[in-house]
Amino acid sequence: MIKTKNPGILQAIGLLQRLSMNNPLRLRYEAYLKQVRDERAWKTHVWKEAMSEGRAEGIAEGMAESILDLLRLKGQIPEALRAEILGERDVKKRRLWLRFAAQCQTGDEFQNNIHGK
């Protein structure tokens, strides 16, 4: 036991002694702490998931822009092809298309490659 004459510390010790595990006030406080902890964990989880999705979208958009930049160097890009490139959401397919765009000589050659002709 702590031996002190400080009235503030004595009062705090008395309060702590009254807060036993069976005290309903303490149980409510612990439930509150658990709720706060769970809410923080949930917010962190949702934030990480949202960041992951946002990152994947950003990578996909960057790949589409890179494909279009490469094709612009090789000539005009038909609007239908541009819309198809921007509309594709599969990152693996866009990665393949990026390689095709780097290797092809014209936009028509690129279009034939992506459609398997």
Side-chain angles (χ1 to χ4, degrees):
M1 183 72 189
I2 300 174
K3 294 183 181 184
T4 182
K5 293 182 181 181
N6 185 320
I9 294 179
L10 290 174
Q11 185 180 8
I13 291 171
L15 179 62
L16 288 173
Q17 289 172 342
R18 287 192 304 273
L19 288 175
S20 68
M21 290 303 287
N22 296 327
N23 189 330
L25 181 61
R26 182 175 178 123
L27 294 176
R28 284 181 33 200
Y29 179 69
E30 288 176 354
Y32 166 76
L33 290 178
K34 182 184 179 303
Q35 179 184 359
V36 169
R37 184 189 69 230
D38 291 348
E39 285 175 3
R40 285 182 184 157
W42 175 251
K43 286 177 184 176
T44 300
H45 171 73
V46 169
W47 182 80
K48 283 181 182 177
E49 202 166 287
M51 290 301 292
S52 176
E53 290 173 10
R55 185 172 182 266
E57 288 177 19
I59 289 171
E61 286 178 24
M63 282 184 177
E65 289 300 321
S66 297
I67 293 167
L68 293 173
D69 285 344
L70 284 170
L71 292 177
R72 277 188 207 103
L73 294 173
K74 298 170 187 200
Q76 289 286 341
I77 305 169
E79 187 56 38
L81 179 59
R82 183 181 179 285
E84 184 178 1
I85 292 168
L86 292 173
E88 181 59 53
R89 293 288 166 226
D90 183 7
V91 175
K92 289 181 182 177
K93 191 178 280 189
R94 279 191 176 175
R95 196 170 284 133
L96 179 64
W97 288 3
L98 185 58
R99 289 188 191 120
F100 287 157
Q103 295 169 352
C104 73
Q105 300 300 316
T106 65
D108 290 335
E109 184 183 343
F110 172 80
Q111 198 163 10
N112 290 337
N113 280 338
I114 67 170
H115 293 126
K117 295 179 183 176

